[in-house]
Amino acid sequence: MFNDIAPKYDFLNHFLSLGIDKIWRRKVVRSIIKHNPQEVLDIATGTADLAILLAKKHSTSNITGVDLSENMLAVGRRKIDEFNLANRITLKQGDSLSLPFESNTFDVAMVAFGVRNYEDPVKGMAETLRVLKPSGKFYVLEFSMPRKFPMAQLYKFYFWAILPLIGRMISGHKQAYTYLPESVSAFPDGINFIQLMKNAGFSDCKFKKLSFGIASIYQGEKHL
Ligand SMILES: C[S@@+](CC[C@H](N)C(=O)[O-])C[C@H]1O[C@@H](n2cnc3c(N)ncnc32)[C@H](O)[C@@H]1O
């Protein structure tokens, strides 16, 4: 599915979120920079938006992006070249459930809108834990469901009625933008997602809701 929508992915992402996804990514990057990481892994990097933003904001990070979809990575590679960041960002095809890296390699691992798509989120996050150095930090940016009136009702209407329609018209893909609300509704958020992180072995897990709960940033740490 991501191979099919890769050429339109960036445009639709920013258009359908009214640009709010950029604000969310900036928040993740601001938190990550505080740790002054040297080696960073961007899992399910897609078209490398988060990796590029971090590289621009923190000049001493080397970033490796990994994703299953070669077409998404191809779009990412073009952007990396445009921004002259090829010496700092490396993209690699790979599966988050079996990462092609040695244990204890990265200071920080991050994943934006990716964990929800894993076949087995706990297995994927346990694999993230393996490749993090001791005391390494893990950040997840993921959609969540707002629960308070009127945002919950407005969001449901937009997410189920408007977004799939526009997504289908622009991407030409029938399922991709009905998959989005379906997968978000079915996926655990808040303390339920924190429990998955703990099951994967992460410590000091916490989360912060963004934009009335439409998205959340989750954070965990590798303790030995
Ligand atoms: C919604 S996109 C997010 C891309 C990017 N992180 C962003 O914020 O725009 C989800 C990405 O997860 C990737 N993906 C899904 N399952 C994966 C897996 N098991 N391993 C690696 N990448 C995966 C897809 O190929 C897709 O590029």
Side-chain angles (χ1 to χ4, degrees), residues 85-96:
L85 288 169
N87 56 337
R88 310 252 322 279
I89 306 176
T90 309
L91 299 187
K92 208 175 162 112
Q93 191 180 23
D95 189 345
S96 58

Side-chain angles (χ1 to χ4, degrees), residues 1-3 5 9-10 13-14 21 25 42-50 66-70 72-73 79 94-99 110-120 141 143 179-180:
M1 185 181 82
F2 285 101
N3 267 333
I5 63 170
Y9 176 82
D10 279 345
N13 227 3
H14 306 322
D21 67 301
R25 283 172 221 276
D42 184 21
I43 307 167
T45 188
T47 59
D49 264 6
L50 194 60
V66 66
D67 200 284
L68 273 183
S69 163
E70 196 45 68
M72 293 286 273
L73 292 174
K79 284 157 56 181
D95 189 345
S96 58
L97 305 189
S98 169
L99 290 167
M110 55 190 189
V111 48
F113 310 112
V115 177
R116 179 173 33 91
N117 302 299
Y118 297 177
E119 241 171 67
D120 183 341
L141 172 61
F143 286 112
Y179 166 77
L180 180 60

Side-chain angles (χ1 to χ4, degrees), residues 15-201:
F15 182 73
L16 291 171
S17 76
L18 312 171
I20 302 173
D21 67 301
K22 293 186 183 177
I23 300 173
W24 298 337
R25 283 172 221 276
R26 278 203 288 274
K27 273 189 196 288
V28 174
V29 162
R30 269 203 296 274
S31 302
I32 289 176
I33 287 172
K34 288 182 192 151
H35 307 296
N36 190 23
Q38 305 307 300
E39 295 301 326
V40 178
L41 178 62
D42 184 21
I43 307 167
T45 188
T47 59
D49 264 6
L50 194 60
I52 290 170
L53 187 63
L54 179 62
K56 284 181 182 171
K57 300 282 180 199
H58 192 249
S59 59
T60 53
S61 291
N62 290 316
I63 303 148
T64 305
V66 66
D67 200 284
L68 273 183
S69 163
E70 196 45 68
N71 290 1
M72 293 286 273
L73 292 174
V75 176
R77 284 196 188 98
R78 275 202 295 278
K79 284 157 56 181
I80 289 165
D81 286 341
E82 276 167 30
F83 290 112
N84 273 325
L85 288 169
N87 56 337
R88 310 252 322 279
I89 306 176
T90 309
L91 299 187
K92 208 175 162 112
Q93 191 180 23
D95 189 345
S96 58
L97 305 189
S98 169
L99 290 167
F101 309 107
E102 305 251 307
S103 302
N104 308 317
T105 300
F106 297 97
D107 302 300
V108 165
M110 55 190 189
V111 48
F113 310 112
V115 177
R116 179 173 33 91
N117 302 299
Y118 297 177
E119 241 171 67
D120 183 341
V122 172
K123 186 175 173 200
M125 291 194 285
E127 183 62 354
T128 303
L129 188 81
R130 178 184 71 76
V131 300
L132 275 175
K133 291 177 187 167
S135 303
K137 309 284 187 288
F138 180 40
Y139 284 86
V140 176
L141 172 61
E142 191 50 85
F143 286 112
S144 41
M145 294 300 288
R147 293 201 161 72
K148 288 193 180 148
F149 176 85
M151 191 44 106
Q153 286 71 16
L154 285 171
Y155 182 71
K156 268 193 187 139
F157 176 68
Y158 177 71
F159 218 43
W160 285 94
I162 311 286
L163 181 144
L165 201 68
I166 302 174
R168 190 170 60 225
M169 269 165 32
I170 297 178
S171 74
H173 197 286
K174 277 192 185 150
Q175 284 94 37
Y177 289 86
T178 48
Y179 166 77
L180 180 60
E182 281 165 9
S183 61
V184 172
S185 313
F187 197 67
D189 63 359
I191 50 167
N192 296 321
F193 184 74
I194 290 286
Q195 190 54 52
L196 296 191
M197 290 178 76
K198 288 181 180 169
N199 293 351

Side-chain angles (χ1 to χ4, degrees), residues 129 132-137 201-205 220-224:
L129 188 81
L132 275 175
K133 291 177 187 167
S135 303
K137 309 284 187 288
F202 282 98
S203 309
D204 295 342
C205 300
E221 193 171 321
K222 176 172 178 174
H223 283 185
L224 282 185

